[in-house]
Every structure is written in structure tokens, then in C-alpha cells.
């Protein structure tokens, strides 16, 4: 039985056309061509080492994502775009704000950072995903009331659009 994250990623991969491209139709009717790039998966050892090094507890659905692809770029347009879901190394490199208890960035979506609240994860809260502007502090993050699995499923179904702004 596959998990929710694996189903979402597999659905995305099935939609890819020849040469790793997918055609998208946007709300305004404009159709563009986008690419998706998936990194090699992270191993259990990579994940354990990351958790030990950082002291961060990764949620199970996010670990599932990392074991499928240790970061990826989704719905990247020829004209550019920022839909980067971070690798373990990127999390360390891009989480540079003034520390906020257990929060870390896992994606950059058109200047919004998708954040996992590690404190919520450690308390067993399933609604641990937050969003913050790229220049905002973690204290300014807005809770999205969902898990990573829910977030990535909605992000894919909205074809890379910032559904949390609607």
C-alpha cells in the first residue's frame, strides 16, 4: 500500500509528457509548458543523520517524500519560476533566519517559504505546515492547518499555484 505522498508524486510523474514536460492550463486560460525535476531519493541513513545533526524531528510523511525524491523542482516554466522543494542539504542551507523553536523551511514557492513546525510535529500535531514570506521571520508564519502530505497533494492538484492565497 502506498502512502499519500507517494500517490501524489506518482500521479505527477504519470502526467509528465515526453522529455519530462507537462502541459498546464491556468485559471486565466493561458497554457504553458513546464518541467519537473526529481532528485535521487534520500536513504534512511541520510534522514537519520540529518535529524541527529540538526536535532529536528521530521514528520513521517515528509520522510516518505525524501525517500522518493530528496528535493525536486515542480512546474518550472521556461521563463523561470521558484517551485523548489528542498533536499536535506538545502534545508540546512536555506534555513538561516533567527532561530525559532524547531521551524525549518522545506520549500520556496514564488517567494513564499513552506515551513515545518518541528515543535508541532514533536507534540503529535498533524497540522504542522506553515507559510511565510521569504523576508519574514518564523514568528510571522501563517498556519495552513495541514500536513506535508496534504500540502503536496493540493500543490500538485493546483498545478503549482499558491492555493493558500485563494
Amino acid at each position: 500500500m502506498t502512502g499519500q505522498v507517494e500517490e501524489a508524486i506518482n500521479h505527477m510523474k504519470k502526467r509528465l509528457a515526453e522529455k519530462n514536460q507537462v502541459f498546464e492550463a491556468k485559471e486565466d486560460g493561458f497554457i504553458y509548458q513546464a518541467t519537473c525535476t526529481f532528485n535521487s531519493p534520500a536513504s534512511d541513513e541520510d534522514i537519520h543523520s540529518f535529524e541527529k545533526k540538526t536535532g529536528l524531528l521530521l514528520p513521517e510523511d515528509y520522510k516518505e517524500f525524501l525517500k522518493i525524491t530528496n528535493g525536486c523542482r515542480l512546474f518550472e516554466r521556461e521563463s523561470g519560476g521558484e517551485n523548489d522543494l528542498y533536499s536535506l542539504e538545502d534545508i540546512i542551507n536555506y534555513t538561516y533566519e533567527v532561530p525559532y523553536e524547531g521551524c525549518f523551511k522545506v520549500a520556496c514557492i514564488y517567494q513564499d517559504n513552506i515551513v515545518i513546525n518541528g515543535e508541532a510535529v514533536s507534540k503529535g500535531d498533524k497540522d504542522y505546515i506553515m507559510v511565510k514570506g521569504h523576508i519574514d521571520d518564523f514568528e510571522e508564519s501563517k498556519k495552513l492547518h495541514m500536513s506535508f502530505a496534504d500540502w503536496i497533494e493540493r500543490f500538485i492538484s493546483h498545478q503549482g499555484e499558491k492555493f493558500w492565497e485563494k
Side-chain angles (χ1 to χ4, degrees), residues 6-17 20-22 24 34-36 38 73-75 155-157 159-160:
E6 186 175 2
E7 282 185 33
I9 297 290
N10 286 341
H11 178 72
M12 177 75 226
K13 287 181 177 181
K14 286 179 184 175
R15 290 176 46 204
L16 293 174
N20 201 30
Q21 295 178 338
V22 62
E24 297 301 322
T35 61
C36 301
F38 298 93
R73 294 181 69 102
L74 300 179
F75 304 103
F155 184 68
I156 289 171
S157 71
Q159 301 179 76

Side-chain angles (χ1 to χ4, degrees), residues 51 57-64 104 116 121 128 148:
E51 288 180 318
L57 177 64
L58 299 177
E60 291 303 315
D61 57 350
Y62 188 67
K63 289 179 186 180
E64 180 186 353
F104 52 99
I116 289 179
V121 172
Y128 56 79
F148 179 79

Side-chain angles (χ1 to χ4, degrees), residues 18-86:
E18 193 174 290
K19 297 183 182 176
N20 201 30
Q21 295 178 338
V22 62
F23 290 94
E24 297 301 322
K26 296 310 216 183
E27 289 179 14
D28 61 4
F30 178 72
I31 298 174
Y32 71 92
Q33 198 171 28
T35 61
C36 301
T37 308
F38 298 93
N39 295 344
S40 298
S43 67
D44 287 327
E45 183 179 316
D46 294 334
I47 294 168
H48 177 74
S49 176
F50 173 87
E51 288 180 318
K52 187 174 179 181
K53 178 179 180 180
T54 63
L56 298 171
L57 177 64
L58 299 177
E60 291 303 315
D61 57 350
Y62 188 67
K63 289 179 186 180
E64 180 186 353
F65 166 77
L66 293 168
K67 290 177 187 180
I68 296 166
T69 180
N70 185 10
C72 62
R73 294 181 69 102
L74 300 179
F75 304 103
E76 187 172 20
R77 300 176 191 183
E78 193 173 292
S79 61
E82 292 180 1
N83 283 337
D84 295 319
L85 282 76
Y86 296 150

